[in-house]
Every structure is written in structure tokens, then in C-alpha cells.
């Protein structure tokens, strides 16, 4: 009699807890991938818009002014693309159930995004310095591009908050 009462009890509590944590991690990382991909796309659209307004493809006078800013802006887009790739990698590992501890995967992705943020900001500073040496008159354009690119680091911070909430 005692054997039949245990059959209807359902799965073990530890197994359900792991499944719930994996599902929450999957949902959080899916949101993160969408946010990061949208960020990379938005930065690209801004750069295309600036180039179009300056008539860069026609060799307009504005091309010389905006190219330093666009090049620094592309540092932000590269960081967003790298972060998106990392998030997709974690998402694939979660979907394939190759992550023994979902919280650890979220921690790792959060740390990677923090590193991407620091590299992005350092890259912007380096790009400004390079443009200052190459063409001192273009520093303002490079700084404006860096300010826009730095917003990607803000997105990384927001996304890290999403990952932190999913861990708890």
C-alpha cells in the first residue's frame, strides 16, 4: 500500500526546483538576447542615419566631420554584437540542457557583459585619442560618437540587472 501512495506524489522537489530555475534562466536569457540584438541594430541605424545626413557616400563636406564619430560609434556596435553572441551561446547551452546550474550560467553571462562594458568604454577612449592624434579637428565628432556608444554600456548594465533578478 505504501508503494502505491508514493507513485502519485509526483517528482522530487529538487528536480522541480531545477526545472523551474532552468525555465526562468531560459526566459531571462531570451529577453537579454532580444535586448542586445535590438541594441546592436539601433546603433547601426544611428550610424547609417548620420552617414546619410552627411552624404558620406557622395563624398560630401560632412563626411570628413562625421567619419570619426561613426568609427567610434562602431566600437559600440561591435561590443553589442559580441555581447549578443555571448548571450546566444548561453541560450543555446540552456536550450540543449548542457548547463548543470542555470544560476551559474547567468552569473557567467553577467560577468562577461561587465567585461564587454569595460572594454567598450576603454575602446571609446582609445578611439578618441587616436582621432585626436590623426586629426585634432575631429575630436568633437569622436567624443559625440563615444557618448552614443557609451549608451551601449548602459544597456549592458540594465541587462545585468535582468540577469540578477532571474538568478534570485
Amino acid at each position: 500500500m505504501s508503494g502505491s501512495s508514493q507513485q502519485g506524489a509526483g517528482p522530487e522537489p529538487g528536480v522541480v526546483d531545477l526545472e523551474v530555475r532552468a525555465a526562468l534562466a531560459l526566459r531571462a536569457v531570451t529577453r537579454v538576447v532580444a535586448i542586445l540584438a535590438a541594441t546592436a541594430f539601433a546603433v547601426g541605424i544611428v550610424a547609417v542615419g548620420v552617414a546619410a545626413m552627411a552624404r558620406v557616400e557622395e563624398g560630401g563636406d560632412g563626411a570628413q566631420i562625421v567619419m570619426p564619430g561613426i568609427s567610434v560609434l562602431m566600437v559600440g556596435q561591435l561590443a553589442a554584437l559580441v555581447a549578443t553572441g555571448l548571450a546566444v551561446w548561453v541560450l543555446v547551452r540552456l536550450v540543449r540542457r548542457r548547463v548543470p546550474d542555470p544560476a551559474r550560467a547567468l552569473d557567467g553571462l553577467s560577468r562577461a557583459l561587465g567585461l564587454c562594458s569595460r572594454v567598450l568604454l576603454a575602446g571609446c577612449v582609445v578611439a578618441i585619442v587616436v582621432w585626436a592624434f590623426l586629426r585634432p579637428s575631429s575630436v568633437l565628432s569622436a567624443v559625440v560618437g563615444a557618448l552614443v556608444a557609451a549608451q551601449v554600456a548602459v544597456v549592458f548594465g540594465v541587462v545585468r540587472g535582468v540577469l540578477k533578478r532571474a538568478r534570485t
Side-chain angles (χ1 to χ4, degrees):
M1 200 61 148
S2 65
S4 63
S5 65
Q6 287 182 352
Q7 288 177 349
E12 296 177 30
V15 174
V16 173
D17 186 39
L18 181 62
E19 291 295 320
V20 170
R21 288 186 317 187
L24 290 173
L26 187 64
R27 185 175 77 179
V29 174
T30 301
R31 287 181 181 168
V32 166
V33 167
I35 292 168
L36 293 175
T39 300
F41 181 75
V43 171
I45 292 297
V46 168
V48 167
V50 169
M53 287 190 294
R55 298 182 181 200
V56 171
E57 69 277 354
E58 297 171 8
D61 294 336
Q64 295 299 320
I65 296 170
V66 299
M67 285 311 294
I70 291 174
S71 66
V72 177
L73 188 59
M74 291 300 99
V75 172
Q77 187 176 32
L78 178 63
L81 288 171
V82 167
T84 303
L86 291 170
V88 166
W89 181 68
V90 170
L91 179 65
V92 167
R93 291 185 52 84
L94 284 170
V95 167
R96 290 184 177 174
R97 296 179 184 260
R98 296 203 175 156
V99 177
D101 183 13
R104 194 166 170 215
L106 295 178
D107 284 339
L109 180 56
S110 180
R111 283 191 310 274
L113 291 175
L115 179 63
C116 285
S117 182
R118 289 187 293 277
V119 169
L120 162 64
L121 295 175
C124 287
V125 169
V126 167
I128 290 170
V129 170
V130 167
W131 278 110
F133 282 118
L134 292 177
R135 195 174 341 143
S137 63
S138 65
V139 171
L140 181 61
S141 176
V143 168
V144 170
L147 289 174
V148 175
Q151 293 177 25
V152 174
V154 173
V155 171
F156 290 167
V158 170
V159 165
R160 290 181 77 189
V162 169
L163 294 172
K164 185 176 183 177
R165 282 190 300 276
R167 266 193 331 256
T168 56

